[in-house]
């Protein structure tokens, strides 16, 4: 029960309910779960190139020759890749940082995969970096840091560093939008 | 909204107290220890969710009791031209206008429960917009005399009342500042500072600009109201905004931060920015904080609170309720007259005093007087009728 309660989003009550559920179900239903957990921990590892989750040396995106090799989308966590892949809008590569800069928590550039990103920019034929870190303070600081570190490449004209637009959610009413989102959406407006 | 009726149970020395309130000036009269301030405190507990006198709300619970309760009947301002008793009794049919009972219970265990007409509220900030409360407690003099923190907080509250984006800016600024200071404390002065300084510069310039803009509107209002309080004896008080990053654009601001990294690292904190802002109260060339007399400082604070209420009223068209604890005894005859005249023009107010003689005969005509008898410290049950009498 204590082990279940350690999981994110699971409180003591849910942990208790899950425990009693597992006690009740037949062995053949409970064992696959146990095996799945063992399997994930034994076979899953990080892609050597982009730090996405994979069972092999390189992840599925990096292995796919049809992906656009000139664009890298930088995200904080592997789960962010799933969100972007669901849009079917993006055909380039990824780079997972494994977090965001946060001096207060002692997380500097050396603690996340930033150096590896800069090495990829040098080694690969990259033309654009899309910095898709979270739109919170730490994510923004990380994005600014990346942009600052790549100013030389940008100035030489061989690289673009971009950030996804911040704006209004589709199908939403203006009157319910918060001031900051609406303000950003207005300042980032485009021609029709 | 105004407070039409208030009921306290087990708040400090009040086992049970119930009284109607008038729509204009209310005066709570009683001897020392009669619980005058506790009545004001109870209003804050209910409508603000905290006490201006203590951080530990459990201190407000009567000795030997396990919880306190405050109930306030709020009625719309316009439906209250009649005297308070009628307003209260007839408020239910007040031409379809909505009245609400705002209640709060605080347990000694630390739990609290805010309700509106019996429905539990998730947040206590429900009343801050509907029935904002501005207070004057003698301790508030720290705003004038103490460190700049309280003055910045006052300024922030003033701006946030009409600019909701400002509070977000201040929050982002504070977080970015904490991150930069963490770098400084680690002795790091490298390129890691860049993103944080960028955010500090962007939010910092916005904050300074907003504060300066707000003060440009507020300072003349303050000078005017302070002038009325002092019957224009002095040449007029001036509010002066002090900042070490005034008039900079984002780029200049960033350069200053970058230049100061080494120095900041030795200090282990960030020297430049609106987190070091201050306001000075200048009266005839004298800084009141350093050289003002007690009376001058008090009048300056009282003027500040009245002006802030006026400023909120002007921008939101809701007149805040003023709770003034023991102001009369500190003011001379002329200033008392000026204060009562100012209060009479404003919305609802509750003033505590030990002595009704501070008020003139003709002023009392328009005032609701609430008398508190000597403290019921014996803990015996006192019927509300015995404890207070009302004269309107």
């Amino acid at each position: 029960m204590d082990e279940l309660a350690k999981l994110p989003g699971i409180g003591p009550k849910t942990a208790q309910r899950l425990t009693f559920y597992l006690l009740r179900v037949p062995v053949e239903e409970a064992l696959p779960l146990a095996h799945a957990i063992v399997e994930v921990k034994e076979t899953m590892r990080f892609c050597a190139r982009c730090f996405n989750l994979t069972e092999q040396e390189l992840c599925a995106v990096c292995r796919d020759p049809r992906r656009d090799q000139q664009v890298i989308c930088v995200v904080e966590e592997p789960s962010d890749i799933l969100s972007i892949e669901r849009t079917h809008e993006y055909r380039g590569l990824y780079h997972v940082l494994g977090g965001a800069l946060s001096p207060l928590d002692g997380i500097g550039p050396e603690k996340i995969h930033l150096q590896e990103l800069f090495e990829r920019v040098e080694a690969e034929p990259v033309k654009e970096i899309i910095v898709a870190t979270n739109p919170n303070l730490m994510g923004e600081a990380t994005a600014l840091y990346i942009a600052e570190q790549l100013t030389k490449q940008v100035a030489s004209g061989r690289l673009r560093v971009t950030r996804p637009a911040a704006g209004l959610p589709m199908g939403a009413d203006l009157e319910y939008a918060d001031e900051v989102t609406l303000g950003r959406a207005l300042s980032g407006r485009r021609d029709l | 909204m105004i407070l039409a009726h208030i009921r306290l149970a087990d708040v400090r020395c009040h086992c049970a107290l119930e009284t109607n309130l008038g729509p204009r000036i209310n005066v709570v009269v009683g001897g020392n220890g009669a619980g005058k301030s506790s009545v004001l405190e109870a209003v804050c507990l209910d409508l603000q969710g905290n006490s201006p006198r203590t951080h530990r709300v459990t201190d407000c619970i009567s000795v030997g009791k396990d919880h306190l309760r405050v109930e306030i009947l709020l009625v719309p301002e316009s439906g209250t031209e009649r005297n308070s008793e009628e307003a209260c009794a007839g408020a239910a049919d007040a031409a379809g206008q909505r009245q609400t009972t705002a209640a709060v219970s605080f347990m000694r265990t630390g739990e609290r429960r805010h309700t509106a007409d019996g429905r539990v509220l998730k947040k206590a900030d429900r009343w801050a917009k509907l029935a904002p409360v501005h207070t004057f407690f003698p301790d508030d003099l720290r705003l004038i005399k103490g460190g700049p923190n309280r003055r910045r907080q006052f300024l922030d509250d003033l701006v946030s009342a009409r600019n909701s984006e400002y509070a977000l800016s201040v929050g982002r600024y504070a977080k970015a500042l904490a991150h930069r200071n963490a770098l400084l404390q680690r002795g790091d002065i490298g390129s890691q500072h860049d993103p944080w300084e960028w955010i500090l510069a962007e939010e910092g310039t916005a904050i300074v600009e907003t504060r300066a803009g707000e003060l440009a509107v507020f300072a003349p209002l303050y000078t005017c109201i302070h002038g009325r309080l002092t019957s224009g004896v002095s040449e007029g008080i001036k509010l002066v905004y002090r900042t070490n990053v005034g008039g900079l654009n984002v780029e200049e601001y960033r350069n200053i931060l970058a230049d100061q990294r080494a120095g900041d690292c030795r200090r282990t904190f960030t020297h430049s920015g609106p987190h070091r802002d201050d306001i000075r109260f200048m009266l005839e060339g004298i800084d009141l904080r350093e050289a003002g007399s007690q009376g001058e400082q008090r009048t300056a604070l009282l003027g500040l609170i009245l002006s802030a209420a006026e400023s909120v009223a002007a921008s939101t068209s809701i007149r805040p309720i003023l709770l003034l604890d023991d102001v009369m005894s500190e003011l001379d005859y002329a200033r008392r007259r000026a204060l009562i005249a100012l209060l009479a023009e404003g919305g609802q107010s509750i003033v505590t005093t030990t002595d009704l003689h501070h008020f003139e005969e003709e002023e009392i005509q328009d005032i609701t007087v609430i008398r508190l008898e000597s403290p019921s410290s014996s803990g015996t049950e006192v019927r509300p009728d015995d404890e207070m009498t009302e004269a309107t």
Side-chain angles (χ1 to χ4, degrees):
Chain A
M1 211 185 292
D2 290 342
E3 291 301 312
L4 285 172
K6 285 182 194 165
L7 298 173
I10 309 272
K13 278 193 181 160
T14 311
Q16 186 180 334
R17 204 167 74 225
L18 290 175
T19 309
F20 282 108
Y21 169 79
L22 289 172
L23 284 174
R24 212 170 47 237
V25 297
V27 179
E28 54 269 26
E29 267 185 55
L31 275 186
L33 176 65
H35 287 314
I37 294 174
V38 172
E39 200 185 322
V40 145
K41 291 313 286 181
E42 283 179 349
T43 61
M44 280 305 214
R45 53 181 167 159
F46 293 109
C47 170
R49 190 173 170 206
C50 74
F51 302 96
N52 187 9
L53 288 171
T54 175
E55 293 176 6
Q56 301 177 29
E57 177 71 10
L58 291 178
C59 74
V61 176
C62 289
R63 285 200 308 270
D64 188 346
R66 290 167 305 173
R67 305 285 302 206
D68 185 348
Q69 306 288 316
Q70 298 184 329
V71 190
I72 295 180
C73 179
V74 180
V75 293
E76 287 182 23
E77 300 295 339
S79 54
D80 299 333
I81 292 186
L82 295 178
S83 307
I84 296 178
E85 283 297 287
R86 271 199 299 269
T87 65
H88 302 292
E89 287 285 328
Y90 181 67
R91 298 296 305 157
L93 303 174
Y94 290 98
H95 188 88
V96 182
L97 294 175
L101 291 178
S102 177
L104 267 184
D105 306 309
I107 300 176
E110 70 289 343
K111 293 261 174 75
I112 54 179
H113 301 299
L114 274 171
Q115 195 49 46
E116 291 88 342
L117 173 68
F118 301 140
E119 282 163 15
R120 280 182 75 183
V121 170
E122 292 307 315
E124 296 174 26
V126 189
K127 289 210 170 125
E128 181 175 357
I129 301 279
I130 303 171
V131 189
T133 50
N134 290 329
N136 56 27
L137 197 72
M138 274 113 76
E140 274 172 55
T142 311
L144 289 169
Y145 181 78
I146 293 172
E148 198 78 29
Q149 294 294 306
L150 294 173
T151 34
K152 228 184 288 167
Q153 288 88 333
V154 173
S156 70
R158 103 172 169 77
L159 189 71
R160 272 177 81 197
V161 178
T162 56
R163 184 128 172 88
L168 299 168
M170 287 302 286
D173 284 339
L174 278 190
E175 64 173 309
Y176 295 123
D178 66 286
E179 294 90 351
V180 178
T181 308
L182 192 53
R184 293 234 174 135
L186 281 175
S187 61
R189 68 191 180 277
R190 58 191 166 78
D191 292 322
L192 281 174
Chain B
M1 302 286 258
I2 65 155
L3 321 183
H5 187 85
I6 177 167
R7 187 207 308 254
L8 319 183
D10 299 326
V11 180
R12 294 200 189 253
C13 66
H14 301 292
C15 301
L17 174 71
E18 208 172 331
T19 179
N20 290 330
L21 293 165
R24 294 308 204 185
I25 305 176
N26 295 270
V27 177
V28 182
V29 192
N32 294 127
K36 304 181 294 294
S37 309
S38 305
V39 174
L40 304 189
E41 190 177 27
V43 174
C44 295
L45 285 174
D46 193 357
L47 299 181
Q48 295 186 317
N50 56 35
S51 160
R53 291 162 90 192
T54 175
H55 289 298
R56 285 186 307 175
V57 174
T58 46
D59 289 354
C60 307
I61 304 173
S62 301
V63 177
K65 297 294 167 63
D66 59 354
H67 75 281
L68 66 80
R69 182 167 171 80
V70 184
E71 268 179 45
I72 295 174
L73 178 68
L74 295 165
V75 299
E77 205 166 341
S78 49
T80 49
E81 294 306 321
R82 298 158 284 180
N83 77 48
S84 61
E85 203 148 348
E86 272 177 39
C88 182
D93 56 53
Q97 282 164 324
R98 284 193 49 221
Q99 55 162 350
T100 318
T101 304
V104 69
S105 308
F106 282 94
M107 324 291 161
R108 202 168 276 287
T109 51
E111 287 166 72
R112 63 165 69 184
R113 210 160 78 128
H114 287 270
T115 58
D117 291 330
R119 275 174 294 111
V120 178
L121 298 174
K122 281 193 186 128
K123 281 184 182 167
D125 62 3
R126 161 84 173 260
W127 312 114
K129 284 243 159 64
L130 283 172
V133 171
H134 288 210
T135 57
F136 173 100
F137 279 85
D139 271 356
D140 293 342
L141 212 54
R142 289 175 299 185
L143 183 79
I144 309 272
K145 282 201 270 194
N149 265 349
R150 286 193 178 80
R151 289 187 288 279
R152 281 194 292 270
Q153 188 59 49
F154 174 84
L155 190 51
D156 285 348
D157 291 346
L158 194 67
V159 182
S160 321
R162 52 175 128 193
N163 184 344
S164 49
E165 220 171 304
Y166 175 77
L168 275 164
S169 262
V170 172
R172 280 169 54 87
Y173 181 89
K175 275 190 216 150
L177 186 68
H179 282 294
R180 184 176 190 262
N181 285 346
L183 285 176
L184 294 170
Q185 272 149 30
R186 222 169 296 136
D188 189 316
I189 54 168
S191 59
Q192 269 208 67
H193 278 271
D194 292 337
W196 304 108
E197 287 173 1
W198 184 277
I199 294 170
L200 285 175
E202 219 161 59
E203 302 296 352
T205 44
I207 290 170
V208 170
E209 211 172 284
T210 315
R211 282 180 178 172
E214 183 70 28
L215 273 181
V217 179
F218 182 74
L221 175 72
Y222 178 58
T223 308
C224 167
I225 286 182
H226 186 270
R228 287 193 56 189
L229 270 180
T230 55
S231 322
V233 175
S234 60
E235 68 174 33
I237 196 160
K238 289 196 174 61
L239 272 188
V240 184
Y241 177 46
R242 309 267 302 179
T243 179
N244 57 17
V245 286
L248 298 175
N249 64 32
V250 177
E251 200 55 43
E252 290 163 342
Y253 192 127
R254 275 188 76 193
N255 290 337
I256 286 181
L257 283 178
D259 290 343
Q260 289 177 343
R261 266 182 218 170
D264 283 349
C265 188
R266 259 177 275 123
R267 284 185 283 262
T268 68
F269 66 87
T270 305
H271 172 263
S272 296
H275 60 288
R276 315 250 305 165
D277 281 0
D278 200 356
I279 311 171
R280 295 233 172 127
F281 298 82
M282 304 298 288
L283 192 63
E284 292 171 336
I286 294 170
D287 187 342
L288 280 190
R289 182 190 172 194
E290 286 151 9
S293 76
Q294 286 279 347
E296 281 170 336
Q297 289 179 338
R298 254 165 212 285
T299 313
L301 176 63
L302 190 54
L304 202 62
I305 284 153
L306 294 174
S307 312
E310 193 59 42
S311 159
V312 168
S315 62
T316 63
S317 75
I318 291 177
R319 281 196 287 193
I321 296 140
L322 286 168
L323 306 178
L324 309 177
D325 188 29
D326 201 16
V327 281
M328 288 303 177
S329 58
E330 305 291 340
L331 302 176
D332 61 30
Y333 179 82
R335 290 187 187 186
R336 286 205 293 269
R337 299 286 78 74
L339 172 63
I340 293 166
L342 273 169
L343 291 178
E345 289 171 21
Q348 191 179 30
S349 55
I350 309 176
V351 181
T352 69
T353 183
T354 50
D355 206 338
L356 259 192
H357 295 131
H358 289 315
F359 296 85
E360 292 288 290
E361 202 59 48
E362 64 270 22
E363 287 166 349
I364 293 182
Q365 305 296 315
D366 304 322
I367 287 174
T368 308
V369 178
I370 297 147
R371 274 179 221 278
L372 296 181
E373 299 306 327
S374 53
S376 52
S377 52
S378 57
T380 51
E381 195 71 23
V382 180
R383 277 175 40 229
D385 296 351
D386 296 338
E387 197 171 354
M388 54 131 271
T389 49
E390 204 179 333
T392 303

